[in-house]
Amino acid sequence: MRDVAVIGIGCTPFGEKWGSSFRDLFVQAGTMALEDAGVAGEEIGAMYVGNMSAGRFIEQEHVGALIADYAGLASDHIASTRVEAACASGGLSFRQAFIAVASGIEDIVVAAGVEKMTDVGTGASVDALAGAADREWEGFVGATFPGLYAMIATDYMNRYPLTREQLAEVAVKNHYNGARNPIAQFSQEITIETVLSSSLVADPLRLFDCSPITDGAAAVVLAPLERAREYTDTPVRVLASAQASDTIALHDRRDISTLDATVAAGKRAFAMAGLSPGDIDLVEVHDCFTIAEICAIEDLGFCRKGEAGRLTAEGVTALGGDLPVNTSGGLKACGHPVGATGIKQVCEVVQQLRGEAGRRQVDGARIGMTHNVGGTGATVAVHILGV
Amino acid sequence: MRDVAVIGIGCTPFGEKWGSSFRDLFVQAGTMALEDAGVAGEEIGAMYVGNMSAGRFIEQEHVGALIADYAGLASDHIASTRVEAACASGGLSFRQAFIAVASGIEDIVVAAGVEKMTDVGTGASVDALAGAADREWEGFVGATFPGLYAMIATDYMNRYPLTREQLAEVAVKNHYNGARNPIAQFSQEITIETVLSSSLVADPLRLFDCSPITDGAAAVVLAPLERAREYTDTPVRVLASAQASDTIALHDRRDISTLDATVAAGKRAFAMAGLSPGDIDLVEVHDCFTIAEICAIEDLGFCRKGEAGRLTAEGVTALGGDLPVNTSGGLKACGHPVGATGIKQVCEVVQQLRGEAGRRQVDGARIGMTHNVGGTGATVAVHILGV
Amino acid sequence: MSVARFWRKIPQRYNLTGTRCATCGRYFFPPRYLCPDCRRAGKIGEHRFSGMGKVVTYTVIRTASEQFEQMTPYVLAIVELDEGPRLTAQLVCSPDEVRIGMRVRPVFRRISADGESGVIHYGTKFAPENP
Amino acid sequence: MSVARFWRKIPQRYNLTGTRCATCGRYFFPPRYLCPDCRRAGKIGEHRFSGMGKVVTYTVIRTASEQFEQMTPYVLAIVELDEGPRLTAQLVCSPDEVRIGMRVRPVFRRISADGESGVIHYGTKFAPENP
Ligand SMILES: [Zn+2]
Ligand SMILES: [Zn+2]
């Protein structure tokens, strides 16, 4: 097992990109990442592509090969593999790329994520996203994805001190950060009233508690640490890579409000890096819904169960706080092109650790974490990066 | 990089399994593989699942977690990852599992493949399968999957000496083998006349040139070679694992009748194993259509371009021949549950190398190869196994 | 939309037929054919649940997927059956009525109608035990 | 079925508008915005193809997916445009007429009709140059 570094990153602007196709989006992100790394195409040994549901969104499977082809790499016949775990597809793509480099099988590997969601209508995309949960025993009876997280929120708010206003603070904070991120889907700050007056989607979650439907792609280039300086003056080390699973259906979990897969992946990541929560300077967590960020902060060990709402309201997780959470704007404000999200999280942390995050820079950030969830917590990927 | 061995295999019967759901099929194959390996569930460190299109066939994504859950492993929170490359999904799942063990990241890893295809009608499954090729520039204009391989056949027969009868011999041989495989979808031998009198699907390919629509699952258990004897007296070593890509669309290939990704993956595999085609005792090739087997035999280097039809007619690739090809019956007669095929190929080779292949046993088989193709050749996985 | 996929589960969805592991005594609904605790040692048999249980958590779905659009708003809950297993189901009650811990009983209802194929899916919903 | 997905490609499908790499001179249809030979050094511009070309290989589709079922049998071919790139297209000719190497010209036709949405997709097919 060799040490691995991120040597280049690229990310398209996120949003409703009607003019861009699936392959256009990837080419844009991939080109940026290679340019950032100063890597020539022919040096790439393999690619991993995180994508949830191109089969449903654009009727196209086999997107690993598609993307290697449109990246101009077909004649090199590089290995290109699609990895899928719903909303955690990007995180798993990064992990597989990490394993490929760490093992010595490959030197230069691209980890990418893409989702083109706006080629179908809202009803169809809600239905495609429900494929992240248990189609036979959740989707069949009318459970939507926001509905499942809403049931987590109901359970959580019944057992722990979390007010509706504190939950809204998560969205307010993430929009504040998103307004400082040039690639974010939403560039407007919002207030608690914006959230509380938005329409109910699944009680108690309102429209502004939910991440949007987004098109986007992101890519990063990995290399063995010992070769990273050939390409960049600012390599970012991968200190830990961890993955965990849990029951596909929310109703089968040990505890509705604790994502045990987050707990497991978090512990494994800290153990691998030899670090503890106090060592983390910033974290990108999977805030597909506001309640998800609350659970993530706790389940990763940054505070005790039931405390995250208060800490959020106190500004601890804000840009200037002790533990900035979702400086990118998170899934909520930066947008959530499902398969791309896990890679975008890595891009954000790398930008922060390089000191290139502009108006949302966390001063002196040296260690960052990413947390990417599939479904309601059936898959979780956690990575720790450091300089 | 450690040496890796297959220590257990399991495969459901292939066919139209109306009584079994996606998760039922996997549980059946997974249980058989663990029983064969004598491995307890809690020893499993990770799972990889090859699946092409559960999103389209059963509206379910995130099947890595689903399968770990229904295998009873959710409370261990093991890493479970779905890998997709159309019809090569199984081969890539095996490769990722191999990498996980070889790298030392995991000890006991399950590589599985599942496809549940008969839950939708024929039209819908033809359409889902077209997602393996380029949806925008092949499928959009009415290219079906058999149609694309038919264009390979037209080009091939125009340039090389291959008769319609020789092509039919591929199907006849594979049905002969399938009739000797208890899990095969088709247990009847056929004649050249059966093939030539079957209905045209896409000229010159007829119904009996095509692999069927199939439900099925397969699973294998991998372990470091140094620990394999704790579990089995008959470990089978993974001597090589290789993967290659090419353009997603057939029309963009350098040569219509040569699958360059097969050529590349084959060469990489032989180089990794330090072997040459003459060392291979049997090979499972990806005969989604009869013409595909012809191309595969040549592109893997077993003979020169244009010779495979004659060799097939001469019986060289038959059970008693110099190079038995598709002793399982291949995709053609054993069946082709897309994501499971690459793993089933491994199961077949392992059975042969253990000397457990019954009426289709290749005497003294010591080295076998698998060849798994995605789409019309945009992804190819090649593995070499040995005892 | 598939037909076999739904036929296959009719006994389970119409009659709440799940499974039970005779080895450890654990009940499963939705049914499992491999006991996560006993694994291959588990002896799985069928079990028909009474369907009596209580609400663990719930929501009110206001924006639904296409098949359920005309039913909104509807109450969705996780119900814990008295034998232990939990399932996701719709509740036949008003959004104001539902409470965590509320006792419920099973009722047989139309679950959804597939616009394309015209197939109507039936199954079990739950109603307050004491209305 | 998606609408934006098809609108986006109308210029390409109606007018055979592809791309060309000014750096190496290579033509692309279907269009590419990254030249596989020159990669980031490639300067990509649009190019409208005349559509004249020849048949590289072909088949006759007898069993089609749902959207194309009513058109069977139809001739499907890989056509090499005179500028070099190849594409997959239907031929407007009888199954007996098609030959490898046959010269073809472009014709604008209905490609398929989406039963569900009623949307009709148009695009380029090819006919024998000298009928
Ligand atoms: Zn048990
Ligand atoms: Zn060029």
Side-chain angles (χ1 to χ4, degrees):
Chain A
M1 296 285 291
R2 306 187 284 189
D3 284 329
V4 177
V6 178
I7 60 167
I9 59 173
C11 195
T12 66
F14 281 8
E16 297 182 340
K17 304 294 173 192
W18 287 305
S20 298
S21 70
F22 183 93
R23 53 195 95 180
D24 295 340
L25 289 168
F26 171 74
V27 166
Q28 199 184 336
T31 305
M32 289 164 74
L34 294 190
E35 240 161 63
D36 185 49
V39 163
E42 50 278 20
E43 294 176 81
I44 299 169
M47 288 182 58
Y48 289 89
V49 180
N51 169 261
M52 173 180 171
S53 204
R56 308 264 333 253
F57 288 123
I58 59 166
E59 302 176 272
Q60 177 76 62
E61 309 286 1
H62 209 174
V63 296
L66 174 76
I67 269 173
D69 179 11
Y70 275 73
L73 300 172
S75 57
D76 297 327
H77 306 300
I78 68 162
S80 184
T81 303
R82 174 197 176 192
V83 167
E84 188 268 327
C87 335
S89 300
L92 264 51
S93 156
F94 185 76
R95 177 167 159 79
Q96 292 305 130
F98 165 79
I99 292 173
V101 178
S103 67
I105 285 185
E106 302 290 352
D107 273 359
I108 308 293
V109 175
V110 173
V114 203
E115 209 84 46
K116 175 70 195 174
M117 302 176 72
T118 63
D119 270 355
V120 296
T122 307
S125 66
V126 168
D127 198 54
L129 292 172
D134 188 330
R135 169 65 59 176
E136 296 301 329
W137 300 104
E138 295 184 319
F140 177 82
V141 298
T144 59
F145 212 61
L148 293 167
Y149 272 95
M151 292 200 292
I152 296 177
T154 303
D155 179 69
Y156 187 103
M157 296 174 90
N158 184 55
R159 293 163 58 197
Y160 303 109
L162 172 71
T163 66
R164 188 46 269 211
E165 286 70 23
Q166 287 171 343
L167 202 51
E169 294 276 16
V170 173
V172 173
K173 168 184 70 69
N174 290 349
H175 273 261
Y176 179 91
N177 295 348
R180 281 145 187 82
N181 185 354
I183 66 154
Q185 182 162 7
F186 299 120
S187 54
Q188 301 277 352
E189 295 182 27
I190 60 168
T191 65
I192 290 190
E193 289 65 42
T194 319
V195 182
L196 298 185
S197 64
S198 65
S199 59
L200 276 163
V201 172
D203 307 14
L205 301 182
R206 295 175 178 273
L207 188 61
F208 272 82
D209 288 298
C210 309
S211 53
I213 301 284
T214 311
D215 300 325
V220 299
V221 186
L222 299 181
L225 182 63
E226 71 224 28
R227 294 194 48 198
R229 296 239 170 229
E230 298 171 27
Y231 297 99
T232 177
D233 295 333
T234 54
V236 172
R237 270 188 68 188
V238 183
L239 303 174
S241 170
Q243 177 185 347
S245 68
D246 203 341
T247 64
I248 186 83
L250 179 63
H251 54 236
D252 279 333
R253 303 280 164 76
R254 185 188 60 79
D255 181 328
I256 303 285
S257 289
T258 302
L259 277 68
D260 280 347
T262 294
V263 175
K267 282 186 182 159
R268 289 171 195 171
F270 283 122
M272 183 173 174
L275 296 171
S276 64
D279 297 315
I280 302 295
D281 295 321
L282 79 152
V283 56
E284 288 284 301
V285 305
H286 196 90
D287 60 323
C288 48
F289 301 93
T290 47
I291 183 65
E293 177 165 321
I294 296 291
C295 292
I297 293 168
E298 298 166 347
D299 298 342
L300 288 169
F302 292 110
C303 65
R304 275 180 302 186
K305 207 74 204 167
E307 293 183 342
R310 179 178 55 77
L311 294 179
T312 302
E314 290 173 4
V316 173
T317 60
L319 257 189
D322 280 349
L323 179 74
V325 174
N326 283 330
T327 54
S328 72
L331 287 60
K332 177 68 201 81
C334 189
H336 182 27
V338 179
T341 284
I343 302 292
K344 180 223 73 178
Q345 294 178 324
V346 173
C347 291
E348 174 67 15
V349 169
V350 167
Q351 278 192 289
Q352 291 281 359
L353 300 185
R354 287 179 181 174
E356 298 173 355
R359 289 203 297 148
R360 59 186 200 289
Q361 181 64 48
V362 175
D363 287 340
R366 305 195 40 93
I367 299 179
M369 174 182 261
T370 63
H371 164 257
N372 190 200
V373 177
T376 54
T379 299
V380 173
V382 172
H383 288 93
I384 304 176
L385 302 159
V387 286
Chain B
M1 296 283 292
R2 306 187 286 187
D3 284 328
V4 177
V6 177
I7 60 168
I9 58 172
C11 194
T12 67
F14 281 7
E16 298 181 339
K17 303 296 174 191
W18 287 306
S20 298
S21 69
F22 183 93
R23 53 195 94 179
D24 296 340
L25 288 169
F26 172 75
V27 167
Q28 199 184 336
T31 305
M32 288 164 72
L34 294 190
E35 238 159 66
D36 185 49
V39 162
E42 50 278 19
E43 294 176 81
I44 299 169
M47 289 181 57
Y48 288 89
V49 179
N51 170 260
M52 173 180 171
S53 203
R56 308 265 330 255
F57 287 123
I58 59 168
E59 302 176 271
Q60 177 77 60
E61 309 285 1
H62 209 173
V63 296
L66 173 76
I67 269 173
D69 178 11
Y70 274 75
L73 301 173
S75 57
D76 297 327
H77 306 299
I78 67 162
S80 184
T81 304
R82 174 195 175 194
V83 167
E84 188 267 328
C87 334
S89 301
L92 263 52
S93 155
F94 185 75
R95 178 167 158 78
Q96 292 305 129
F98 164 79
I99 292 172
V101 178
S103 67
I105 286 185
E106 302 290 352
D107 272 0
I108 309 293
V109 175
V110 172
V114 203
E115 209 83 46
K116 174 69 195 176
M117 302 175 71
T118 64
D119 270 355
V120 296
T122 307
S125 65
V126 167
D127 198 53
L129 292 173
D134 188 332
R135 169 66 58 179
E136 297 302 329
W137 299 105
E138 295 183 319
F140 177 81
V141 298
T144 59
F145 212 63
L148 293 168
Y149 271 95
M151 292 200 291
I152 296 177
T154 303
D155 179 68
Y156 187 103
M157 295 173 89
N158 184 55
R159 293 163 58 197
Y160 303 110
L162 173 71
T163 66
R164 188 45 268 211
E165 287 70 24
Q166 287 171 342
L167 202 52
E169 293 277 16
V170 173
V172 172
K173 168 185 70 69
N174 289 350
H175 273 262
Y176 179 92
N177 294 349
R180 281 148 187 79
N181 186 355
I183 66 154
Q185 182 161 6
F186 299 120
S187 54
Q188 300 277 351
E189 295 181 26
I190 59 168
T191 64
I192 290 189
E193 288 66 43
T194 318
V195 183
L196 299 185
S197 64
S198 65
S199 58
L200 276 164
V201 172
D203 308 13
L205 300 181
R206 294 175 178 273
L207 187 62
F208 272 83
D209 289 297
C210 309
S211 54
I213 300 285
T214 310
D215 299 327
V220 298
V221 185
L222 299 182
L225 182 63
E226 71 223 28
R227 293 194 48 199
R229 296 235 171 233
E230 298 171 27
Y231 297 100
T232 176
D233 295 333
T234 55
V236 172
R237 272 187 67 188
V238 183
L239 303 175
S241 171
Q243 178 184 348
S245 67
D246 204 340
T247 63
I248 186 82
L250 180 64
H251 54 236
D252 279 333
R253 303 282 163 76
R254 183 189 61 78
D255 181 328
I256 303 285
S257 288
T258 301
L259 277 69
D260 281 347
T262 294
V263 175
K267 280 185 183 160
R268 288 171 195 172
F270 282 122
M272 181 172 175
L275 296 171
S276 64
D279 297 317
I280 302 294
D281 295 321
L282 79 153
V283 57
E284 288 283 302
V285 304
H286 196 91
D287 61 322
C288 48
F289 300 93
T290 47
I291 184 65
E293 177 165 322
I294 297 291
C295 292
I297 293 168
E298 298 166 348
D299 298 342
L300 288 168
F302 292 110
C303 64
R304 275 180 302 188
K305 206 75 203 166
E307 293 183 343
R310 179 178 56 77
L311 295 178
T312 303
E314 290 173 3
V316 172
T317 60
L319 257 190
D322 279 350
L323 178 75
V325 174
N326 283 329
T327 55
S328 72
L331 287 60
K332 177 67 201 80
C334 190
H336 182 27
V338 179
T341 285
I343 302 292
K344 181 223 71 177
Q345 294 178 325
V346 173
C347 291
E348 174 67 15
V349 169
V350 168
Q351 277 192 290
Q352 290 282 358
L353 300 185
R354 287 179 180 174
E356 297 172 355
R359 289 205 295 148
R360 60 186 199 289
Q361 181 64 48
V362 174
D363 286 341
R366 307 201 34 101
I367 300 179
M369 174 182 261
T370 63
H371 164 258
N372 191 199
V373 177
T376 55
T379 299
V380 172
V382 172
H383 288 91
I384 304 177
L385 302 160
V387 286
Chain C
M1 175 77 74
S2 140
V3 173
R5 232 177 85 197
F6 298 104
W7 280 355
R8 198 181 298 130
K9 297 205 167 55
I10 280 182
Q12 308 168 356
R13 289 192 174 127
Y14 285 26
N15 303 327
L16 288 179
T17 303
T19 54
R20 176 173 176 274
C21 175
T23 311
C24 69
R26 190 168 158 193
Y27 293 88
F28 303 106
F29 194 93
R32 285 176 185 265
Y33 300 95
L34 189 68
C35 172
D37 296 325
C38 308
R39 291 189 171 123
R40 280 167 286 147
K43 291 199 193 330
I44 303 287
E46 290 207 332
H47 176 80
R48 187 164 169 173
F49 290 85
S50 69
M52 302 307 292
K54 63 174 190 203
V55 170
V56 175
T57 184
Y58 64 89
T59 183
V60 183
I61 304 284
R62 316 250 174 198
T63 304
S65 65
E66 281 162 353
Q67 277 189 277
F68 293 90
E69 253 167 17
Q70 79 292 354
M71 303 169 92
T72 56
Y74 55 90
V75 181
L76 188 80
I78 292 179
V79 170
E80 183 171 302
L81 300 174
D82 287 346
E83 294 92 336
R86 293 172 170 188
L87 71 160
T88 301
Q90 287 187 33
L91 297 191
V92 183
C93 72
S94 84
D96 300 334
E97 212 178 338
V98 57
R99 294 287 177 275
I100 287 176
M102 182 172 81
R103 294 283 308 165
V104 291
R105 62 182 169 84
V107 290
F108 186 68
R109 288 286 188 281
R110 194 181 82 160
I111 299 288
S112 66
D114 186 337
E116 278 170 46
S117 66
V119 175
I120 295 174
H121 299 302
Y122 293 91
T124 302
K125 297 186 179 181
F126 290 84
E129 193 177 61
N130 305 305
Chain D
M1 176 76 74
S2 140
V3 174
R5 230 178 86 198
F6 298 105
W7 280 355
R8 197 181 297 129
K9 297 206 166 56
I10 280 181
Q12 308 169 355
R13 290 195 173 124
Y14 285 26
N15 303 327
L16 288 179
T17 302
T19 54
R20 177 174 177 274
C21 175
T23 311
C24 68
R26 190 169 158 192
Y27 292 89
F28 304 106
F29 194 94
R32 284 175 186 264
Y33 300 94
L34 189 69
C35 172
D37 296 326
C38 308
R39 291 190 173 123
R40 278 167 286 146
K43 291 196 194 329
I44 302 287
E46 290 208 333
H47 176 80
R48 186 163 169 175
F49 290 85
S50 70
M52 303 307 290
K54 64 174 189 200
V55 170
V56 175
T57 184
Y58 63 88
T59 183
V60 183
I61 304 284
R62 316 252 174 195
T63 304
S65 65
E66 282 163 355
Q67 276 190 277
F68 293 90
E69 252 169 18
Q70 79 293 353
M71 303 171 92
T72 56
Y74 55 88
V75 181
L76 188 80
I78 292 179
V79 170
E80 184 172 300
L81 300 174
D82 288 345
E83 294 92 337
R86 293 173 170 187
L87 72 159
T88 300
Q90 287 187 33
L91 297 191
V92 184
C93 71
S94 85
D96 299 333
E97 213 178 336
V98 57
R99 294 286 176 274
I100 288 175
M102 182 172 81
R103 294 283 307 164
V104 293
R105 62 184 169 83
V107 290
F108 186 67
R109 288 285 188 284
R110 192 181 84 162
I111 299 287
S112 66
D114 186 336
E116 276 171 47
S117 65
V119 175
I120 295 174
H121 299 301
Y122 293 90
T124 303
K125 296 186 181 183
F126 290 84
E129 194 178 57
N130 305 306

